[in-house]
Every structure is written in C-alpha cells, then in structure tokens.
Amino acid sequence: MVRPFAAGIDGASGGVDPAGVVSERRLSDLRGLFRDAAALERAVGEGDEVVYRVVAAPVPEVEGEVPFSVTTIEAGRVGDEFYMTRGHAHPEPQGEVYFGLSGRGVLLMYDGEEVRWVEIRPGVAGYIPPGWAHRTANVGGEPFRFLAVYPGSAGHDYAIVAEGGMGARVVRSAAGYEVVEEPGGAGPAVREYYRRRKKRG
Ligand code: F6R
Ligand code: ZN
C-alpha cells in the first residue's frame, strides 16, 4: 500500500510531482486508429511527433488503490481528425473521472451501441460510467490537459477499441469541430463484449 502523500498538479505543463510512470504516444503508435491512413503515414515520415503524454502519480494499478494521472494531448490533426488518445475500455467495468486543466477537448464514450460525448474545459469534470469505452481528442489550438482518476483494478483493454472503434470520430468542421457517428455500427462480437460488462457494472 502507498503511504499518504500530496502531489502537485501543474495544469500549465502537465506535470505531476512526485511522478510515477511517464508514457508517450507518437503518431506511429496510433496506426489503424485514424480514418486517413495515408495522411498518418505522411505525418509519421515527417517527424513522427508525440501526440500525447501521460504522467502518472506513483500509485500502483491494483485493487483498492486509486491511481491518477495527467494526460497532455498536443494540438494537431491527421487529415480532418483531431489528435486523440488510443482509447480503451476497462475490462473490469469500473467508472472514471476526468477533470479539465487546460485547453479544450472532447471526451468520447461508447458502449458498443450508443455514442455519448462531452466537452472538457478547465474546471469541467467528465464522468465515464462503468462499461463505456473512452477516448479524448484535442479540439483546440493549444495543448489539452486533464486529470484522470480511476480504480486501480479497472485494467485497460485497447484491443476492443482498435478492433471495434468508438462509434464516432471527432473532426474539423466550419464551427470548429463536430462528432460524426460512423455508419454501420459495431459487429455482434463487439456489442456482446460491452453488454456483458454493463450487466456486471
Ligand atoms: C485511465 C485513463 C487515462 C488514459 C490516458 C491515455 O483509465 O482513461 O488516464 O489512460 O488519457 O489514453 P489511452 O490510455 O487510451 O492511451
Ligand atoms: Zn480509462
């Protein structure tokens, strides 16, 4: 178990002090997730920049603990689609809270059938209920930063989002951005994955 502590959360830099694990995802780590695969490959060839960074507090991902971390998503697009996280579901159906620190983003949620999204700005908390996959996109012109707090036993399933998508994409529009639902919907295996988790959650 972790001893009691306080951590500094720097909304201007995305820093957490003391910090635990720090991870970075580049464009090349996001292959298969953006709609415009050719635009992604061009951008990978032009420098493969970091799309987002996650700085975690030193709290382990085990039952009973409550890990927290700050994500910074840079401003940018691949084709018309805004820079975003890979996205995942929690295999143990557990909820999560996101709290906006700087910039402007969209928190996209998907339960295999329905798409919901909320805008996150500084001072706004977004709630992800158990059983909903989630992804964030930076829809502003500056880095988008948010604090995430979640149960340590939740786990992270990236394959279900890589394979089944998020049901919608966050793209540029005349108004700035729009969330466009994807036609067709998920296949039966993906729907069943989420149904099972919602029953347990
Ligand atoms: C944790 C959580 C966030 C994300 C982070 C990066 O459950 O939802 O801390 O892990 O925003 O996104 P992913 O994990 O999808 O690469
Ligand atoms: Zn999560």
Side-chain angles (χ1 to χ4, degrees):
M1 293 293 257
V2 176
R3 304 278 302 157
F5 72 99
I9 302 291
D10 186 348
S13 71
V16 178
D17 183 20
V21 175
V22 178
S23 51
E24 273 184 356
R25 302 280 175 231
R26 293 178 178 274
L27 285 160
S28 55
D29 298 315
L30 302 176
R31 283 193 169 105
L33 300 180
F34 289 97
R35 184 174 44 194
D36 191 340
L40 179 80
E41 289 309 322
R42 278 197 301 278
V44 168
E46 285 162 11
D48 193 18
E49 68 178 14
V50 171
V51 175
Y52 65 97
R53 176 179 295 104
V54 182
V55 182
V59 178
E61 294 197 337
V62 298
E63 183 157 17
E65 300 283 5
V66 184
F68 58 101
S69 57
V70 172
T71 300
T72 298
I73 309 178
E74 300 298 334
R77 277 181 285 107
V78 173
D80 267 354
E81 206 170 354
F82 288 99
Y83 276 9
M84 63 187 186
T85 58
R86 290 162 74 196
H88 60 263
H90 298 159
E92 281 302 316
Q94 311 231 18
E96 180 162 8
V97 174
Y98 283 4
F99 182 73
L101 300 172
S102 67
R104 188 161 72 120
V106 163
L107 164 57
L108 186 63
M109 292 167 276
Y110 181 53
D111 72 350
E113 292 172 47
E114 192 184 349
V115 173
R116 304 290 300 172
W117 61 274
V118 294
E119 191 174 300
I120 305 286
R121 291 169 176 268
V124 173
Y127 182 62
I128 303 156
W132 290 73
H134 40 288
R135 163 182 285 161
T136 42
N138 182 351
V139 297
E142 55 180 317
F144 167 52
R145 297 191 170 91
F146 62 91
L147 175 73
V149 185
Y150 55 99
S153 57
H156 293 87
D157 185 345
Y158 292 94
I160 190 66
V161 170
E163 286 157 22
M166 284 295 301
R169 296 183 178 279
V170 186
V171 300
R172 178 172 60 168
S173 76
Y177 73 89
E178 62 183 329
V179 179
V180 181
E181 295 211 16
E182 295 207 280
V190 171
R191 283 203 302 275
E192 182 53 25
Y193 173 99
Y194 288 102
R195 276 200 193 119
R196 271 205 311 274
R197 275 157 185 81
K198 281 200 127 172
K199 261 185 234 145
R200 293 168 61 203

